[in-house]
Amino acid sequence: MVTRKLNVGLLGCGTVGRGLVELVARNHTLIRQRTGVELAITRILVRDAGKERPGVERNLLTTHPEKVIDNGCDLVVELIGGIEPARALIQRSLARSKHVVTANKALLALDGFSIMKAAEIQKVRLGFEASVCGGIPIIRALRNGLVGNQIHSLRGILNGTCNYILTRMTEDRVDFNDALAEAQAKGFAEADPTLDIDGHDAAQKLKILAELAFHAHVPAQAVLVEGIRHITADDIQAARELGYVIKHIAAAECSGDCMSLQVHPVLLPGKHQLAGIRDENNAVLVRGDAVGEMVFSGKGAGSLPSASAVLSDVVDIACHQGGFSASQGKVLDTHAPDDHGKHYLRFPVDDPSAIAAITTVLERNGIGIARAAAVWAKSASAQNQVRVLTQDCLRSTVETSLRDISASGVEKGQGIALRVMD
Ligand code: HSE
C-alpha cells in the first residue's frame, strides 16, 4: 500500500484535543496499516503554552493561530468550541484551502450552512462527526449508510450530562447539583453547564441531525427546548412507581412538507429502547422508510470517544478527498406541534383540599385523570404535593389548565408537567 502523509494542525488542546493527541500516538501505526495514511500532528494552538499537558509534546504548542494554519498543514482540526474565535479560524483555514474537521456543534447549529458553502467553494472538505453524540458515527450513518432512506423521525438522548444527572438521581438518589458537579469533574459538561441542563446543547445537536436527516434547513427558533433543572427526586420516584423512567429526549419528525423538533424531559416506559441508556451514553433511534427502526448508542461525550469521531473524519478526508455538497435542501414548514399524550403533573400545595381544586380544573378542561394523589411531606424541608397522571390529552390543553390552576391560587411554587411517551 502506498503511504501518504497527512499533516494535521490542531486548534485547541482541551479534553477532546488531548484525547486526539493520545489516540493518534496510540493508533497511528494501525491507521497507516489499514489506510496507508501516515498522520502527524504538526502544531497545536493553546491559550497557555506553559500549562502542564501530559502526553503532549511541548515544542508543538503555540499561542499563535497562524503558526498552526499557515504552516504547511493539510488539514485543520478545530476543537476550541464556541462561536469566536473558532468561526474566524475555520474561515481562515478554509480560505487557505485546508480541509477542516470540527466538533463545534454551537457554531454548526448557528452558521453551518455558510461554513459548508465556504468549504465547497474552496473545494475542501468539512467533517463534523464529533459535533453530535461523541463516538457514535451517527453523522456518517445519516450521510452515507442511510442515504437511500427517507428518514421519518429521529428520537434520542443527545446530551450526556443530562443523561448522567438523571441516571445518578434515579439509580443512586444523588442530588441534582452533586450529579452535575460529577459530570463537570468527568469532563462531559459544557464550560457553561446551563447549556446542558437547560436543553440548548441537545437542541443544537438535534438541529444538525435533522438538517442531515430531512435534507432541509431548520431555523434555530424552530426547536422547542426544555431542560431538566426542575426535575426533583420526588418526580423520579413518582415516575418509577408508575413504571416509567425520566429521560431528556430530543425528537424530530418530518411528515410531508412539515417538520417538528422538540427537546424535553419525558417519562418513558421502563422497557422502552431509550430507557436503558445510562450515564453519559447517548442513543439515537432513527426511523427510515427502508430500514425501519434502528438504534445507534454509545458514549456521547468524553475525551477518547469524541477523539475517535474526530479521527474518523480526518482519516476519511485523507482517503477520499472529494468535496461535500453544501446544498441546503428543501425548505420545510416548521411547527410547534400540539402533541398529545399522557402527562405527569406535579403541583406544590399547602392545603389537602387542593387535590379537589386541581382535578376539577383538569376535568373542566376535558382532561381525563388516570391517577391523582396528594402526597404529604414527611419532613419540614420537603414539600406537600399533588401528583396527577392524565389520560391522553393535547399539550395545549395541559398548558391552559396549568395557567388556570396557577390563577386559582392553590399552587404554591414551581410545579412540573412532563410528557409521557409510550
Ligand atoms: N456537554 C456535552 C454533553 C458534551 O454532555 O453531551 C458532548 O457534546
Side-chain angles (χ1 to χ4, degrees), residues 205-373:
K205 293 168 178 168
L206 184 66
K207 180 176 186 293
I208 294 169
L209 291 185
E211 290 192 332
L212 290 177
F214 307 145
H215 195 57
H217 173 62
V218 177
Q221 67 278 11
V223 189
L224 184 152
V225 188
E226 288 172 26
I228 63 165
R229 69 164 80 219
H230 300 306
I231 292 178
T232 63
D234 284 345
D235 294 323
I236 288 173
Q237 181 59 26
R240 193 204 311 265
E241 285 164 13
L242 295 165
Y244 295 99
V245 290
I246 298 182
K247 291 285 182 191
H248 191 240
I249 298 292
E253 283 189 30
C254 185
S255 166
D257 288 337
C258 242
M259 65 180 158
S260 72
L261 292 94
Q262 308 189 60
V263 170
H264 43 53
V266 299
L267 275 70
L268 288 180
K271 60 181 184 326
H272 191 282
Q273 295 181 84
L274 299 177
I277 305 299
R278 300 174 59 246
D279 297 330
E280 76 274 24
N281 288 303
N282 284 187
V284 186
L285 190 63
V286 181
R287 197 156 51 81
D289 65 341
V291 293
E293 274 196 351
M294 300 188 88
V295 186
F296 298 81
S297 66
K299 294 223 178 300
S303 177
L304 289 175
S306 300
S308 161
V310 170
L311 201 45
S312 77
D313 277 338
V314 170
V315 173
D316 184 57
I317 288 172
C319 293
H320 314 98
Q321 296 194 352
F324 278 156
S325 164
S327 159
Q328 201 172 9
K330 55 198 175 205
V331 176
L332 300 179
D333 272 353
T334 52
H335 65 115
D338 191 3
D339 49 332
H340 69 93
K342 295 177 191 155
H343 286 76
Y344 161 81
L345 313 175
R346 187 238 310 148
F347 304 91
V349 296
D350 58 11
D351 180 340
S353 66
I355 188 166
I358 288 169
T359 52
T360 302
V361 172
L362 294 172
E363 283 168 343
R364 193 176 61 222
N365 288 341
I367 296 178
I369 294 169
R371 293 195 198 191

Side-chain angles (χ1 to χ4, degrees), residues 181-216:
E182 284 178 20
Q184 288 176 294
K186 286 171 181 270
F188 313 140
E190 297 301 301
D192 171 5
T194 61
L195 291 172
D196 296 297
I197 61 178
D198 290 335
H200 301 292
D201 175 87
Q204 289 165 352
K205 293 168 178 168
L206 184 66
K207 180 176 186 293
I208 294 169
L209 291 185
E211 290 192 332
L212 290 177
F214 307 145
H215 195 57

Side-chain angles (χ1 to χ4, degrees), residues 18 59 64-65 164 199 202 205 261 300 353 381-382:
R18 282 201 300 276
N59 62 3
H64 302 286
Y164 184 84
K205 293 168 178 168
L261 292 94
S353 66
S381 61

